[in-house]
PDB file of all heavy atoms in Angstrom:
ATOM      1  N   MET A  97     -10.334   8.671  -7.786  1.00  0.00           N
ATOM      2  CA  MET A  97     -10.087   7.810  -8.945  1.00  0.00           C
ATOM      3  C   MET A  97      -9.043   8.494  -9.808  1.00  0.00           C
ATOM      4  O   MET A  97      -9.291   9.550 -10.391  1.00  0.00           O
ATOM      5  CB  MET A  97     -11.395   7.617  -9.725  1.00  0.00           C
ATOM      6  CG  MET A  97     -11.269   6.711 -10.925  1.00  0.00           C
ATOM      7  SD  MET A  97     -12.927   6.439 -11.635  1.00  0.00           S
ATOM      8  CE  MET A  97     -12.472   5.932 -13.300  1.00  0.00           C
ATOM      9  N   SER A  98      -7.850   7.900  -9.850  1.00  0.00           N
ATOM     10  CA  SER A  98      -6.765   8.513 -10.622  1.00  0.00           C
ATOM     11  C   SER A  98      -6.900   8.136 -12.089  1.00  0.00           C
ATOM     12  O   SER A  98      -7.640   7.220 -12.449  1.00  0.00           O
ATOM     13  CB  SER A  98      -5.406   8.042 -10.092  1.00  0.00           C
ATOM     14  OG  SER A  98      -5.154   6.721 -10.528  1.00  0.00           O
ATOM     15  N   GLN A  99      -6.142   8.841 -12.934  1.00  0.00           N
ATOM     16  CA  GLN A  99      -6.258   8.601 -14.370  1.00  0.00           C
ATOM     17  C   GLN A  99      -5.713   7.230 -14.768  1.00  0.00           C
ATOM     18  O   GLN A  99      -5.964   6.742 -15.860  1.00  0.00           O
ATOM     19  CB  GLN A  99      -5.556   9.705 -15.152  1.00  0.00           C
ATOM     20  CG  GLN A  99      -4.124   9.959 -14.748  1.00  0.00           C
ATOM     21  CD  GLN A  99      -3.587  11.262 -15.321  1.00  0.00           C
ATOM     22  OE1 GLN A  99      -3.703  11.504 -16.503  1.00  0.00           O
ATOM     23  NE2 GLN A  99      -3.006  12.096 -14.492  1.00  0.00           N
ATOM     24  N   HIS A 100      -4.975   6.570 -13.865  1.00  0.00           N
ATOM     25  CA  HIS A 100      -4.434   5.243 -14.179  1.00  0.00           C
ATOM     26  C   HIS A 100      -5.284   4.128 -13.574  1.00  0.00           C
ATOM     27  O   HIS A 100      -4.932   2.957 -13.661  1.00  0.00           O
ATOM     28  CB  HIS A 100      -2.986   5.146 -13.690  1.00  0.00           C
ATOM     29  CG  HIS A 100      -2.120   6.225 -14.269  1.00  0.00           C
ATOM     30  ND1 HIS A 100      -1.910   6.367 -15.630  1.00  0.00           N
ATOM     31  CD2 HIS A 100      -1.436   7.243 -13.680  1.00  0.00           C
ATOM     32  CE1 HIS A 100      -1.121   7.406 -15.851  1.00  0.00           C
ATOM     33  NE2 HIS A 100      -0.832   7.956 -14.686  1.00  0.00           N
ATOM     34  N   PHE A 101      -6.388   4.494 -12.929  1.00  0.00           N
ATOM     35  CA  PHE A 101      -7.397   3.569 -12.399  1.00  0.00           C
ATOM     36  C   PHE A 101      -6.938   2.764 -11.180  1.00  0.00           C
ATOM     37  O   PHE A 101      -7.772   2.281 -10.439  1.00  0.00           O
ATOM     38  CB  PHE A 101      -7.911   2.590 -13.469  1.00  0.00           C
ATOM     39  CG  PHE A 101      -8.651   3.220 -14.614  1.00  0.00           C
ATOM     40  CD1 PHE A 101      -8.992   2.472 -15.718  1.00  0.00           C
ATOM     41  CD2 PHE A 101      -9.010   4.564 -14.599  1.00  0.00           C
ATOM     42  CE1 PHE A 101      -9.678   3.041 -16.799  1.00  0.00           C
ATOM     43  CE2 PHE A 101      -9.694   5.134 -15.660  1.00  0.00           C
ATOM     44  CZ  PHE A 101     -10.021   4.374 -16.750  1.00  0.00           C
ATOM     45  N   SER A 102      -5.625   2.559 -10.944  1.00  0.00           N
ATOM     46  CA  SER A 102      -5.114   1.894  -9.729  1.00  0.00           C
ATOM     47  C   SER A 102      -5.812   0.569  -9.412  1.00  0.00           C
ATOM     48  O   SER A 102      -6.189   0.331  -8.278  1.00  0.00           O
ATOM     49  CB  SER A 102      -5.266   2.832  -8.525  1.00  0.00           C
ATOM     50  OG  SER A 102      -4.605   4.030  -8.760  1.00  0.00           O
ATOM     51  N   LEU A 103      -5.988  -0.257 -10.425  1.00  0.00           N
ATOM     52  CA  LEU A 103      -6.597  -1.574 -10.210  1.00  0.00           C
ATOM     53  C   LEU A 103      -5.515  -2.656 -10.266  1.00  0.00           C
ATOM     54  O   LEU A 103      -4.453  -2.456 -10.862  1.00  0.00           O
ATOM     55  CB  LEU A 103      -7.646  -1.857 -11.296  1.00  0.00           C
ATOM     56  CG  LEU A 103      -8.848  -0.919 -11.323  1.00  0.00           C
ATOM     57  CD1 LEU A 103      -9.655  -1.153 -12.591  1.00  0.00           C
ATOM     58  CD2 LEU A 103      -9.719  -1.101 -10.090  1.00  0.00           C
ATOM     59  N   TYR A 104      -5.806  -3.793  -9.659  1.00  0.00           N
ATOM     60  CA  TYR A 104      -4.878  -4.922  -9.700  1.00  0.00           C
ATOM     61  C   TYR A 104      -5.305  -5.869 -10.819  1.00  0.00           C
ATOM     62  O   TYR A 104      -6.332  -6.535 -10.734  1.00  0.00           O
ATOM     63  CB  TYR A 104      -4.855  -5.628  -8.339  1.00  0.00           C
ATOM     64  CG  TYR A 104      -4.216  -4.784  -7.274  1.00  0.00           C
ATOM     65  CD1 TYR A 104      -5.003  -3.959  -6.456  1.00  0.00           C
ATOM     66  CD2 TYR A 104      -2.833  -4.758  -7.113  1.00  0.00           C
ATOM     67  CE1 TYR A 104      -4.409  -3.147  -5.494  1.00  0.00           C
ATOM     68  CE2 TYR A 104      -2.233  -3.953  -6.153  1.00  0.00           C
ATOM     69  CZ  TYR A 104      -3.029  -3.149  -5.343  1.00  0.00           C
ATOM     70  OH  TYR A 104      -2.437  -2.339  -4.401  1.00  0.00           O
ATOM     71  N   ASN A 105      -4.478  -5.922 -11.864  1.00  0.00           N
ATOM     72  CA  ASN A 105      -4.837  -6.671 -13.069  1.00  0.00           C
ATOM     73  C   ASN A 105      -4.965  -8.175 -12.837  1.00  0.00           C
ATOM     74  O   ASN A 105      -5.714  -8.860 -13.536  1.00  0.00           O
ATOM     75  CB  ASN A 105      -3.808  -6.428 -14.173  1.00  0.00           C
ATOM     76  CG  ASN A 105      -4.022  -5.086 -14.845  1.00  0.00           C
ATOM     77  OD1 ASN A 105      -5.146  -4.628 -14.962  1.00  0.00           O
ATOM     78  ND2 ASN A 105      -2.946  -4.448 -15.266  1.00  0.00           N
ATOM     79  N   ASP A 106      -4.195  -8.707 -11.869  1.00  0.00           N
ATOM     80  CA  ASP A 106      -4.219 -10.144 -11.664  1.00  0.00           C
ATOM     81  C   ASP A 106      -5.349 -10.589 -10.738  1.00  0.00           C
ATOM     82  O   ASP A 106      -5.513 -11.780 -10.474  1.00  0.00           O
ATOM     83  CB  ASP A 106      -2.868 -10.634 -11.123  1.00  0.00           C
ATOM     84  CG  ASP A 106      -2.421  -9.869  -9.892  1.00  0.00           C
ATOM     85  OD1 ASP A 106      -2.980  -8.780  -9.645  1.00  0.00           O
ATOM     86  OD2 ASP A 106      -1.518 -10.344  -9.180  1.00  0.00           O
ATOM     87  N   LEU A 107      -6.136  -9.623 -10.240  1.00  0.00           N
ATOM     88  CA  LEU A 107      -7.301  -9.959  -9.417  1.00  0.00           C
ATOM     89  C   LEU A 107      -8.567  -9.918 -10.274  1.00  0.00           C
ATOM     90  O   LEU A 107      -8.624  -9.235 -11.294  1.00  0.00           O
ATOM     91  CB  LEU A 107      -7.454  -8.970  -8.267  1.00  0.00           C
ATOM     92  CG  LEU A 107      -6.321  -8.902  -7.232  1.00  0.00           C
ATOM     93  CD1 LEU A 107      -6.683  -7.902  -6.130  1.00  0.00           C
ATOM     94  CD2 LEU A 107      -6.025 -10.270  -6.628  1.00  0.00           C
ATOM     95  N   THR A 108      -9.589 -10.637  -9.843  1.00  0.00           N
ATOM     96  CA  THR A 108     -10.885 -10.557 -10.515  1.00  0.00           C
ATOM     97  C   THR A 108     -11.593  -9.270 -10.090  1.00  0.00           C
ATOM     98  O   THR A 108     -11.141  -8.557  -9.183  1.00  0.00           O
ATOM     99  CB  THR A 108     -11.777 -11.750 -10.146  1.00  0.00           C
ATOM    100  OG1 THR A 108     -12.056 -11.682  -8.743  1.00  0.00           O
ATOM    101  CG2 THR A 108     -11.112 -13.065 -10.492  1.00  0.00           C
ATOM    102  N   VAL A 109     -12.717  -8.999 -10.745  1.00  0.00           N
ATOM    103  CA  VAL A 109     -13.531  -7.816 -10.404  1.00  0.00           C
ATOM    104  C   VAL A 109     -13.886  -7.830  -8.924  1.00  0.00           C
ATOM    105  O   VAL A 109     -13.668  -6.854  -8.197  1.00  0.00           O
ATOM    106  CB  VAL A 109     -14.805  -7.786 -11.276  1.00  0.00           C
ATOM    107  CG1 VAL A 109     -15.836  -6.799 -10.711  1.00  0.00           C
ATOM    108  CG2 VAL A 109     -14.455  -7.422 -12.717  1.00  0.00           C
ATOM    109  N   ILE A 110     -14.419  -8.942  -8.442  1.00  0.00           N
ATOM    110  CA  ILE A 110     -14.889  -8.987  -7.049  1.00  0.00           C
ATOM    111  C   ILE A 110     -13.719  -8.948  -6.075  1.00  0.00           C
ATOM    112  O   ILE A 110     -13.819  -8.348  -4.999  1.00  0.00           O
ATOM    113  CB  ILE A 110     -15.802 -10.203  -6.787  1.00  0.00           C
ATOM    114  CG1 ILE A 110     -16.577 -10.026  -5.473  1.00  0.00           C
ATOM    115  CG2 ILE A 110     -15.027 -11.504  -6.760  1.00  0.00           C
ATOM    116  CD1 ILE A 110     -18.042 -10.255  -5.602  1.00  0.00           C
ATOM    117  N   GLN A 111     -12.577  -9.518  -6.467  1.00  0.00           N
ATOM    118  CA  GLN A 111     -11.403  -9.457  -5.587  1.00  0.00           C
ATOM    119  C   GLN A 111     -10.883  -8.026  -5.461  1.00  0.00           C
ATOM    120  O   GLN A 111     -10.475  -7.598  -4.376  1.00  0.00           O
ATOM    121  CB  GLN A 111     -10.304 -10.382  -6.122  1.00  0.00           C
ATOM    122  CG  GLN A 111     -10.582 -11.862  -5.892  1.00  0.00           C
ATOM    123  CD  GLN A 111      -9.612 -12.762  -6.639  1.00  0.00           C
ATOM    124  OE1 GLN A 111      -9.000 -12.363  -7.635  1.00  0.00           O
ATOM    125  NE2 GLN A 111      -9.479 -13.998  -6.167  1.00  0.00           N
ATOM    126  N   ASN A 112     -10.902  -7.281  -6.566  1.00  0.00           N
ATOM    127  CA  ASN A 112     -10.507  -5.873  -6.500  1.00  0.00           C
ATOM    128  C   ASN A 112     -11.427  -5.106  -5.549  1.00  0.00           C
ATOM    129  O   ASN A 112     -10.962  -4.334  -4.703  1.00  0.00           O
ATOM    130  CB  ASN A 112     -10.547  -5.235  -7.898  1.00  0.00           C
ATOM    131  CG  ASN A 112      -9.177  -5.120  -8.534  1.00  0.00           C
ATOM    132  OD1 ASN A 112      -8.297  -4.431  -8.029  1.00  0.00           O
ATOM    133  ND2 ASN A 112      -8.997  -5.809  -9.654  1.00  0.00           N
ATOM    134  N   LEU A 113     -12.726  -5.306  -5.708  1.00  0.00           N
ATOM    135  CA  LEU A 113     -13.686  -4.595  -4.855  1.00  0.00           C
ATOM    136  C   LEU A 113     -13.524  -5.003  -3.390  1.00  0.00           C
ATOM    137  O   LEU A 113     -13.581  -4.149  -2.493  1.00  0.00           O
ATOM    138  CB  LEU A 113     -15.115  -4.852  -5.332  1.00  0.00           C
ATOM    139  CG  LEU A 113     -15.485  -4.230  -6.685  1.00  0.00           C
ATOM    140  CD1 LEU A 113     -16.877  -4.671  -7.112  1.00  0.00           C
ATOM    141  CD2 LEU A 113     -15.408  -2.699  -6.632  1.00  0.00           C
ATOM    142  N   ARG A 114     -13.286  -6.297  -3.157  1.00  0.00           N
ATOM    143  CA  ARG A 114     -13.116  -6.746  -1.770  1.00  0.00           C
ATOM    144  C   ARG A 114     -11.845  -6.147  -1.159  1.00  0.00           C
ATOM    145  O   ARG A 114     -11.824  -5.718  -0.004  1.00  0.00           O
ATOM    146  CB  ARG A 114     -13.079  -8.276  -1.734  1.00  0.00           C
ATOM    147  CG  ARG A 114     -13.269  -8.842  -0.335  1.00  0.00           C
ATOM    148  CD  ARG A 114     -13.705 -10.294  -0.383  1.00  0.00           C
ATOM    149  NE  ARG A 114     -15.129 -10.424  -0.678  1.00  0.00           N
ATOM    150  CZ  ARG A 114     -15.641 -11.259  -1.563  1.00  0.00           C
ATOM    151  NH1 ARG A 114     -14.862 -12.037  -2.276  1.00  0.00           N
ATOM    152  NH2 ARG A 114     -16.940 -11.308  -1.751  1.00  0.00           N
ATOM    153  N   PHE A 115     -10.782  -6.069  -1.963  1.00  0.00           N
ATOM    154  CA  PHE A 115      -9.524  -5.481  -1.486  1.00  0.00           C
ATOM    155  C   PHE A 115      -9.727  -4.018  -1.098  1.00  0.00           C
ATOM    156  O   PHE A 115      -9.338  -3.581  -0.008  1.00  0.00           O
ATOM    157  CB  PHE A 115      -8.439  -5.590  -2.566  1.00  0.00           C
ATOM    158  CG  PHE A 115      -7.180  -4.835  -2.227  1.00  0.00           C
ATOM    159  CD1 PHE A 115      -6.226  -5.378  -1.380  1.00  0.00           C
ATOM    160  CD2 PHE A 115      -6.969  -3.546  -2.725  1.00  0.00           C
ATOM    161  CE1 PHE A 115      -5.078  -4.669  -1.054  1.00  0.00           C
ATOM    162  CE2 PHE A 115      -5.823  -2.835  -2.401  1.00  0.00           C
ATOM    163  CZ  PHE A 115      -4.878  -3.397  -1.563  1.00  0.00           C
ATOM    164  N   TYR A 116     -10.346  -3.232  -2.007  1.00  0.00           N
ATOM    165  CA  TYR A 116     -10.535  -1.801  -1.727  1.00  0.00           C
ATOM    166  C   TYR A 116     -11.521  -1.580  -0.588  1.00  0.00           C
ATOM    167  O   TYR A 116     -11.334  -0.692   0.248  1.00  0.00           O
ATOM    168  CB  TYR A 116     -10.970  -1.061  -3.001  1.00  0.00           C
ATOM    169  CG  TYR A 116      -9.797  -0.728  -3.879  1.00  0.00           C
ATOM    170  CD1 TYR A 116      -9.525  -1.471  -5.029  1.00  0.00           C
ATOM    171  CD2 TYR A 116      -8.925   0.305  -3.553  1.00  0.00           C
ATOM    172  CE1 TYR A 116      -8.432  -1.186  -5.822  1.00  0.00           C
ATOM    173  CE2 TYR A 116      -7.832   0.600  -4.345  1.00  0.00           C
ATOM    174  CZ  TYR A 116      -7.576  -0.151  -5.477  1.00  0.00           C
ATOM    175  OH  TYR A 116      -6.479   0.128  -6.255  1.00  0.00           O
ATOM    176  N   GLY A 117     -12.569  -2.382  -0.543  1.00  0.00           N
ATOM    177  CA  GLY A 117     -13.540  -2.250   0.545  1.00  0.00           C
ATOM    178  C   GLY A 117     -12.897  -2.476   1.896  1.00  0.00           C
ATOM    179  O   GLY A 117     -13.139  -1.736   2.860  1.00  0.00           O
ATOM    180  N   THR A 118     -12.044  -3.510   1.979  1.00  0.00           N
ATOM    181  CA  THR A 118     -11.339  -3.796   3.232  1.00  0.00           C
ATOM    182  C   THR A 118     -10.387  -2.659   3.581  1.00  0.00           C
ATOM    183  O   THR A 118     -10.274  -2.246   4.742  1.00  0.00           O
ATOM    184  CB  THR A 118     -10.562  -5.125   3.106  1.00  0.00           C
ATOM    185  OG1 THR A 118     -11.479  -6.157   2.740  1.00  0.00           O
ATOM    186  CG2 THR A 118      -9.886  -5.496   4.418  1.00  0.00           C
ATOM    187  N   ALA A 119      -9.696  -2.110   2.555  1.00  0.00           N
ATOM    188  CA  ALA A 119      -8.775  -0.986   2.788  1.00  0.00           C
ATOM    189  C   ALA A 119      -9.534   0.230   3.322  1.00  0.00           C
ATOM    190  O   ALA A 119      -8.980   1.014   4.114  1.00  0.00           O
ATOM    191  CB  ALA A 119      -8.059  -0.630   1.488  1.00  0.00           C
ATOM    192  N   TYR A 120     -10.796   0.404   2.916  1.00  0.00           N
ATOM    193  CA  TYR A 120     -11.615   1.516   3.412  1.00  0.00           C
ATOM    194  C   TYR A 120     -12.203   1.221   4.790  1.00  0.00           C
ATOM    195  O   TYR A 120     -12.912   2.053   5.353  1.00  0.00           O
ATOM    196  CB  TYR A 120     -12.765   1.804   2.444  1.00  0.00           C
ATOM    197  CG  TYR A 120     -12.361   2.499   1.168  1.00  0.00           C
ATOM    198  CD1 TYR A 120     -12.780   2.003  -0.072  1.00  0.00           C
ATOM    199  CD2 TYR A 120     -11.593   3.660   1.188  1.00  0.00           C
ATOM    200  CE1 TYR A 120     -12.420   2.635  -1.255  1.00  0.00           C
ATOM    201  CE2 TYR A 120     -11.221   4.286   0.008  1.00  0.00           C
ATOM    202  CZ  TYR A 120     -11.638   3.774  -1.210  1.00  0.00           C
ATOM    203  OH  TYR A 120     -11.288   4.407  -2.362  1.00  0.00           O
ATOM    204  N   GLY A 121     -11.947   0.015   5.316  1.00  0.00           N
ATOM    205  CA  GLY A 121     -12.418  -0.307   6.662  1.00  0.00           C
ATOM    206  C   GLY A 121     -13.785  -0.960   6.717  1.00  0.00           C
ATOM    207  O   GLY A 121     -14.362  -1.109   7.791  1.00  0.00           O
ATOM    208  N   LEU A 122     -14.311  -1.347   5.546  1.00  0.00           N
ATOM    209  CA  LEU A 122     -15.611  -2.036   5.537  1.00  0.00           C
ATOM    210  C   LEU A 122     -15.426  -3.492   5.955  1.00  0.00           C
ATOM    211  O   LEU A 122     -14.416  -4.112   5.627  1.00  0.00           O
ATOM    212  CB  LEU A 122     -16.235  -1.972   4.138  1.00  0.00           C
ATOM    213  CG  LEU A 122     -16.490  -0.572   3.562  1.00  0.00           C
ATOM    214  CD1 LEU A 122     -17.002  -0.683   2.135  1.00  0.00           C
ATOM    215  CD2 LEU A 122     -17.473   0.204   4.417  1.00  0.00           C
ATOM    216  N   LYS A 123     -16.427  -4.035   6.652  1.00  0.00           N
ATOM    217  CA  LYS A 123     -16.311  -5.411   7.152  1.00  0.00           C
ATOM    218  C   LYS A 123     -17.628  -6.168   6.984  1.00  0.00           C
ATOM    219  O   LYS A 123     -18.698  -5.580   6.965  1.00  0.00           O
ATOM    220  CB  LYS A 123     -15.945  -5.411   8.645  1.00  0.00           C
ATOM    221  CG  LYS A 123     -14.584  -4.823   8.955  1.00  0.00           C
ATOM    222  CD  LYS A 123     -14.347  -4.779  10.455  1.00  0.00           C
ATOM    223  CE  LYS A 123     -13.022  -4.066  10.758  1.00  0.00           C
ATOM    224  NZ  LYS A 123     -12.855  -3.869  12.210  1.00  0.00           N
ATOM    225  N   ASN A 124     -17.473  -7.477   6.884  1.00  0.00           N
ATOM    226  CA  ASN A 124     -18.591  -8.424   6.973  1.00  0.00           C
ATOM    227  C   ASN A 124     -19.781  -8.044   6.100  1.00  0.00           C
ATOM    228  O   ASN A 124     -19.649  -7.819   4.902  1.00  0.00           O
ATOM    229  CB  ASN A 124     -19.005  -8.586   8.448  1.00  0.00           C
ATOM    230  CG  ASN A 124     -17.808  -8.979   9.320  1.00  0.00           C
ATOM    231  OD1 ASN A 124     -16.930  -9.684   8.844  1.00  0.00           O
ATOM    232  ND2 ASN A 124     -17.779  -8.510  10.549  1.00  0.00           N
ATOM    233  N   ASP A 125     -20.969  -7.943   6.706  1.00  0.00           N
ATOM    234  CA  ASP A 125     -22.195  -7.700   5.933  1.00  0.00           C
ATOM    235  C   ASP A 125     -22.166  -6.356   5.220  1.00  0.00           C
ATOM    236  O   ASP A 125     -22.658  -6.230   4.092  1.00  0.00           O
ATOM    237  CB  ASP A 125     -23.430  -7.770   6.846  1.00  0.00           C
ATOM    238  CG  ASP A 125     -23.714  -9.190   7.320  1.00  0.00           C
ATOM    239  OD1 ASP A 125     -23.073 -10.125   6.783  1.00  0.00           O
ATOM    240  OD2 ASP A 125     -24.556  -9.361   8.213  1.00  0.00           O
ATOM    241  N   ASP A 126     -21.599  -5.348   5.890  1.00  0.00           N
ATOM    242  CA  ASP A 126     -21.527  -4.008   5.281  1.00  0.00           C
ATOM    243  C   ASP A 126     -20.648  -4.053   4.034  1.00  0.00           C
ATOM    244  O   ASP A 126     -20.984  -3.477   2.990  1.00  0.00           O
ATOM    245  CB  ASP A 126     -20.982  -3.002   6.290  1.00  0.00           C
ATOM    246  CG  ASP A 126     -21.109  -1.560   5.791  1.00  0.00           C
ATOM    247  OD1 ASP A 126     -22.039  -1.285   4.990  1.00  0.00           O
ATOM    248  OD2 ASP A 126     -20.289  -0.710   6.178  1.00  0.00           O
ATOM    249  N   LEU A 127     -19.514  -4.749   4.129  1.00  0.00           N
ATOM    250  CA  LEU A 127     -18.611  -4.891   2.984  1.00  0.00           C
ATOM    251  C   LEU A 127     -19.337  -5.565   1.821  1.00  0.00           C
ATOM    252  O   LEU A 127     -19.309  -5.052   0.688  1.00  0.00           O
ATOM    253  CB  LEU A 127     -17.376  -5.701   3.391  1.00  0.00           C
ATOM    254  CG  LEU A 127     -16.418  -6.090   2.252  1.00  0.00           C
ATOM    255  CD1 LEU A 127     -15.855  -4.860   1.571  1.00  0.00           C
ATOM    256  CD2 LEU A 127     -15.288  -6.971   2.787  1.00  0.00           C
ATOM    257  N   GLU A 128     -20.000  -6.670   2.093  1.00  0.00           N
ATOM    258  CA  GLU A 128     -20.682  -7.393   1.017  1.00  0.00           C
ATOM    259  C   GLU A 128     -21.822  -6.574   0.420  1.00  0.00           C
ATOM    260  O   GLU A 128     -22.030  -6.582  -0.798  1.00  0.00           O
ATOM    261  CB  GLU A 128     -21.204  -8.745   1.529  1.00  0.00           C
ATOM    262  CG  GLU A 128     -20.097  -9.735   1.905  1.00  0.00           C
ATOM    263  CD  GLU A 128     -19.061  -9.917   0.800  1.00  0.00           C
ATOM    264  OE1 GLU A 128     -19.462 -10.103  -0.369  1.00  0.00           O
ATOM    265  OE2 GLU A 128     -17.854  -9.848   1.092  1.00  0.00           O
ATOM    266  N   ALA A 129     -22.537  -5.849   1.266  1.00  0.00           N
ATOM    267  CA  ALA A 129     -23.656  -5.018   0.776  1.00  0.00           C
ATOM    268  C   ALA A 129     -23.139  -3.918  -0.143  1.00  0.00           C
ATOM    269  O   ALA A 129     -23.734  -3.631  -1.189  1.00  0.00           O
ATOM    270  CB  ALA A 129     -24.421  -4.415   1.951  1.00  0.00           C
ATOM    271  N   GLN A 130     -22.013  -3.291   0.234  1.00  0.00           N
ATOM    272  CA  GLN A 130     -21.470  -2.207  -0.585  1.00  0.00           C
ATOM    273  C   GLN A 130     -20.856  -2.725  -1.882  1.00  0.00           C
ATOM    274  O   GLN A 130     -20.918  -2.056  -2.917  1.00  0.00           O
ATOM    275  CB  GLN A 130     -20.438  -1.393   0.215  1.00  0.00           C
ATOM    276  CG  GLN A 130     -21.038  -0.584   1.355  1.00  0.00           C
ATOM    277  CD  GLN A 130     -22.270   0.199   0.914  1.00  0.00           C
ATOM    278  OE1 GLN A 130     -22.266   0.875  -0.102  1.00  0.00           O
ATOM    279  NE2 GLN A 130     -23.354   0.072   1.683  1.00  0.00           N
ATOM    280  N   ILE A 131     -20.280  -3.928  -1.835  1.00  0.00           N
ATOM    281  CA  ILE A 131     -19.767  -4.535  -3.069  1.00  0.00           C
ATOM    282  C   ILE A 131     -20.922  -4.776  -4.038  1.00  0.00           C
ATOM    283  O   ILE A 131     -20.828  -4.449  -5.229  1.00  0.00           O
ATOM    284  CB  ILE A 131     -19.011  -5.848  -2.758  1.00  0.00           C
ATOM    285  CG1 ILE A 131     -17.651  -5.533  -2.119  1.00  0.00           C
ATOM    286  CG2 ILE A 131     -18.825  -6.684  -4.031  1.00  0.00           C
ATOM    287  CD1 ILE A 131     -16.897  -6.759  -1.623  1.00  0.00           C
ATOM    288  N   GLN A 132     -22.036  -5.305  -3.532  1.00  0.00           N
ATOM    289  CA  GLN A 132     -23.200  -5.551  -4.399  1.00  0.00           C
ATOM    290  C   GLN A 132     -23.751  -4.237  -4.957  1.00  0.00           C
ATOM    291  O   GLN A 132     -24.141  -4.170  -6.126  1.00  0.00           O
ATOM    292  CB  GLN A 132     -24.291  -6.313  -3.629  1.00  0.00           C
ATOM    293  CG  GLN A 132     -23.911  -7.750  -3.282  1.00  0.00           C
ATOM    294  CD  GLN A 132     -23.420  -8.553  -4.484  1.00  0.00           C
ATOM    295  OE1 GLN A 132     -24.027  -8.533  -5.559  1.00  0.00           O
ATOM    296  NE2 GLN A 132     -22.291  -9.239  -4.319  1.00  0.00           N
ATOM    297  N   ARG A 133     -23.766  -3.205  -4.117  1.00  0.00           N
ATOM    298  CA  ARG A 133     -24.241  -1.882  -4.573  1.00  0.00           C
ATOM    299  C   ARG A 133     -23.344  -1.350  -5.696  1.00  0.00           C
ATOM    300  O   ARG A 133     -23.830  -0.847  -6.721  1.00  0.00           O
ATOM    301  CB  ARG A 133     -24.238  -0.908  -3.391  1.00  0.00           C
ATOM    302  CG  ARG A 133     -24.494   0.552  -3.756  1.00  0.00           C
ATOM    303  CD  ARG A 133     -24.484   1.431  -2.510  1.00  0.00           C
ATOM    304  NE  ARG A 133     -24.486   2.848  -2.844  1.00  0.00           N
ATOM    305  CZ  ARG A 133     -23.363   3.581  -2.983  1.00  0.00           C
ATOM    306  NH1 ARG A 133     -22.177   3.023  -2.819  1.00  0.00           N
ATOM    307  NH2 ARG A 133     -23.440   4.860  -3.278  1.00  0.00           N
ATOM    308  N   SER A 134     -22.013  -1.459  -5.525  1.00  0.00           N
ATOM    309  CA  SER A 134     -21.073  -0.981  -6.544  1.00  0.00           C
ATOM    310  C   SER A 134     -21.209  -1.775  -7.835  1.00  0.00           C
ATOM    311  O   SER A 134     -21.176  -1.208  -8.935  1.00  0.00           O
ATOM    312  CB  SER A 134     -19.633  -1.063  -6.028  1.00  0.00           C
ATOM    313  OG  SER A 134     -19.349   0.015  -5.162  1.00  0.00           O
ATOM    314  N   LEU A 135     -21.371  -3.099  -7.710  1.00  0.00           N
ATOM    315  CA  LEU A 135     -21.548  -3.933  -8.902  1.00  0.00           C
ATOM    316  C   LEU A 135     -22.800  -3.527  -9.672  1.00  0.00           C
ATOM    317  O   LEU A 135     -22.787  -3.421 -10.906  1.00  0.00           O
ATOM    318  CB  LEU A 135     -21.648  -5.410  -8.499  1.00  0.00           C
ATOM    319  CG  LEU A 135     -20.350  -6.092  -8.044  1.00  0.00           C
ATOM    320  CD1 LEU A 135     -20.651  -7.440  -7.410  1.00  0.00           C
ATOM    321  CD2 LEU A 135     -19.378  -6.260  -9.223  1.00  0.00           C
ATOM    322  N   ARG A 136     -23.896  -3.279  -8.923  1.00  0.00           N
ATOM    323  CA  ARG A 136     -25.168  -2.867  -9.549  1.00  0.00           C
ATOM    324  C   ARG A 136     -25.006  -1.528 -10.245  1.00  0.00           C
ATOM    325  O   ARG A 136     -25.383  -1.354 -11.395  1.00  0.00           O
ATOM    326  CB  ARG A 136     -26.266  -2.764  -8.489  1.00  0.00           C
ATOM    327  CG  ARG A 136     -27.125  -4.003  -8.341  1.00  0.00           C
ATOM    328  CD  ARG A 136     -28.426  -3.721  -7.585  1.00  0.00           C
ATOM    329  NE  ARG A 136     -28.248  -2.883  -6.414  1.00  0.00           N
ATOM    330  CZ  ARG A 136     -27.871  -3.331  -5.219  1.00  0.00           C
ATOM    331  NH1 ARG A 136     -27.593  -4.614  -5.029  1.00  0.00           N
ATOM    332  NH2 ARG A 136     -27.767  -2.504  -4.196  1.00  0.00           N
TER     333      ARG A 136
END
């Protein structure tokens, strides 16, 4: 996590998480489960 946060301002919260999750190689149910975990 850099000091500039590296987030995409024009995306929603869930779109940012989905983008980063996909970039980390997460897919399908695992991706959705980890997004819910991060949100919680």
Side-chain angles (χ1 to χ4, degrees):
M97 182 174 159
S98 76
Q99 53 193 310
H100 304 299
F101 296 171
S102 303
L103 297 169
Y104 291 93
N105 282 327
D106 53 344
L107 298 182
T108 64
V109 165
I110 196 130
Q111 286 170 337
N112 259 297
L113 291 174
R114 195 160 281 134
F115 172 81
Y116 278 103
T118 304
Y120 286 130
L122 301 175
K123 296 176 185 173
N124 306 327
D125 290 350
D126 190 28
L127 172 61
E128 293 309 313
Q130 291 313 312
I131 286 173
Q132 292 308 314
R133 171 179 170 268
S134 281
L135 287 168
R136 265 196 317 276

